[in-house]
Amino acid sequence: MLGRLEEQTFYLPMQERLCQAVERMRAAEAGIKLYPMQQNVLQDGAVYFEEVTKRDPKAESPFARIILPPRCGKTVIAAKLIEVSRLVSVFVTTKLVLVDQAVEEF
């Protein structure tokens, strides 16, 4: 999977990897079909990544989670965020049905 995500940038400093991810996200924003609320969360993700690039590089690795009410499309948003950022990611869920949904989206 790493080969598909960050094959060329995995060994760069995190700040540089995030800057490149933000560029990919901004370039893809217009072509992504999501509900308006989901689109806002995706845009917030790009803003978050930009903020992380301004932190001390020796700080903790960036961590984020999507918190929304049930049935708002968190799995869809996460899949799109990972798809367009192309950053190595960990997707954690507590229910098998969400694993199946994530597999479909990814």
Side-chain angles (χ1 to χ4, degrees):
M1 187 66 130
L2 177 60
R4 293 184 57 210
L5 295 171
E6 290 190 275
E7 60 196 27
Q8 305 297 320
T9 63
F10 186 71
Y11 298 101
L12 293 174
M14 181 56 76
Q15 259 60 5
E16 182 60 29
R17 291 165 58 195
L18 287 169
C19 285
Q20 290 182 17
V22 170
E23 289 176 18
R24 290 189 293 266
M25 292 170 74
R26 297 287 186 216
E29 271 180 7
I32 297 174
K33 303 294 183 219
L34 294 171
Y35 291 112
M37 187 223 15
Q38 294 172 326
Q39 189 71 35
N40 290 339
V41 174
L42 197 65
Q43 290 166 350
D44 288 347
V47 169
Y48 171 75
F49 287 165
E50 285 176 320
E51 290 172 1
V52 170
T53 64
K54 297 172 184 151
R55 293 181 188 170
D56 178 0
K58 293 182 175 109
E60 290 182 27
S61 293
F63 170 81
R65 61 185 165 176
I66 298 169
I67 301 173
L68 292 169
R71 316 281 317 148
C72 286
K74 294 178 287 291
T75 303
V76 172
I77 296 166
K80 289 297 179 190
L81 185 67
I82 293 167
E83 175 187 350
V84 298
S85 72
R86 294 199 313 246
L87 292 170
V88 174
S89 304
V90 176
F91 188 86
V92 179
T93 183
T94 58
K95 296 185 175 150
L96 186 56
V97 68
L98 294 176
V99 171
D100 295 338
Q101 183 184 5
V103 167
E104 281 183 39
E105 289 299 327
F106 291 118

